[in-house]
Amino acid sequence: MRAFKAMLKNEMKLSLRGMDMVIFAICAPLAVLVLLGVLYGGSPAFEGAGYTFLEQSFGAVSTIAICAGGVMGLPLVISDYRHKKILKRFQVTPVSPGLLLAVQVCIYAIYALASLLLLYAVGALFFGLRLTGSWGPFLGGYFLVMLSMFSIGMMVGGVAPNTKIAGIIASALYFPMLILSGATLPYEMMPRALQRVSDLLPLTQGIKLLKAAALGEPASDVLVPIIVMAALALACAGVSVRFFRWE
């Protein structure tokens, strides 16, 4: 535990110094939330709705940090550490390379949770945001989405032959999900044809799960997204464990 804390402290300092995750996991989601709040304020999501447009979008915006850390951050860090022989060096020390990977997962989870708290605080203070549903189901869904997206990142970072390939694959996954899944451009505002394309993206299912939990909709309505997220996490984790490259 002492080694984990020391490594977490050092790696967190390096991450903050780089500023990438501060921009994409903290500032970017906050900017989207403020933009939606300014544009739509307390307007109902649709005529007769019992919740506002911003409350409907909160679950989607909260996934931006998860996507940034899990799909883009993790693969690049893992592949970079392998390229620099850092993982290989840890294999001959008392501290296993697995501990280093656990620290990285923890760092991106901290970014995601910090972003979630900041988004809710700003939304509640300035735009009257309230969670219609219960925090329990919402946080359960949030951690399931995080687990799924992080498993994708671990798989890409673990099996990509080099940093360049990892970056290409991560970008090919990250940007379509960021733009088309409903995280930035609201799903409800998309044309029907674009919604059908969006439904093919795994993050879209996660956003549907979080929206339902935030709005207090029945769990039966999100059974498919739950199954998709859980299956994705298991599949990607299995591939990562089986084919992970340490060097």
Side-chain angles (χ1 to χ4, degrees), residues 1-9 95 99 103:
M1 183 59 69
R2 185 181 301 175
F4 180 86
K5 289 181 179 179
M7 193 176 296
L8 177 62
K9 181 180 179 180
V95 180
L99 183 63
V103 166

Side-chain angles (χ1 to χ4, degrees), residues 9-204:
K9 181 180 179 180
N10 291 332
E11 292 293 319
M12 194 69 188
K13 286 181 179 178
L14 292 173
S15 178
L16 291 172
R17 192 178 301 167
M19 289 297 293
D20 290 346
M21 288 304 299
V22 174
I23 294 172
F24 292 105
I26 303 296
C27 298
L30 184 59
V32 173
L33 180 89
V34 171
L35 181 62
L36 292 176
V38 170
L39 291 177
Y40 299 102
S43 303
F46 52 87
E47 187 176 351
Y51 46 84
T52 66
F53 188 89
L54 187 61
E55 289 168 345
Q56 177 182 259
S57 302
F58 175 70
V61 177
S62 69
T63 64
I64 295 177
I66 295 177
C67 191
V71 181
M72 181 61 78
L74 263 179
L76 296 181
V77 168
I78 293 172
S79 60
D80 185 53
Y81 279 6
R82 184 175 57 242
H83 175 71
K84 293 177 178 177
K85 308 296 183 182
I86 294 176
L87 296 180
K88 183 178 180 180
R89 290 170 193 162
F90 270 96
Q91 284 187 308
V92 295
T93 68
V95 180
S96 72
L99 183 63
L100 179 60
L101 299 182
V103 166
Q104 293 301 325
V105 170
C106 185
I107 287 174
Y108 291 115
I110 290 173
Y111 277 121
L113 292 173
S115 175
L116 175 65
L117 293 175
L118 180 62
L119 289 174
Y120 187 77
V122 171
L125 286 173
F126 297 101
F127 304 109
L129 174 68
R130 293 292 181 270
L131 200 71
T132 308
S134 171
W135 274 104
F138 181 83
L139 290 176
Y142 192 77
F143 282 111
L144 178 58
V145 174
M146 188 187 299
L147 179 63
S148 299
M149 294 299 106
F150 282 17
S151 67
I152 293 176
M154 291 291 291
M155 179 186 70
V156 173
V159 303
N162 54 58
T163 305
K164 183 178 180 179
I165 297 299
I168 292 173
I169 297 174
S171 297
L173 294 171
Y174 172 70
F175 289 106
M177 283 198 287
L178 180 68
I179 298 171
L180 300 177
S181 66
T184 50
L185 176 65
Y187 179 88
E188 293 76 15
M189 299 179 65
M190 295 180 185
R192 183 67 62 182
L194 191 57
Q195 285 182 351
R196 286 197 288 268
V197 174
S198 177
D199 287 336
L200 300 176
L201 301 173
L203 185 59
T204 304

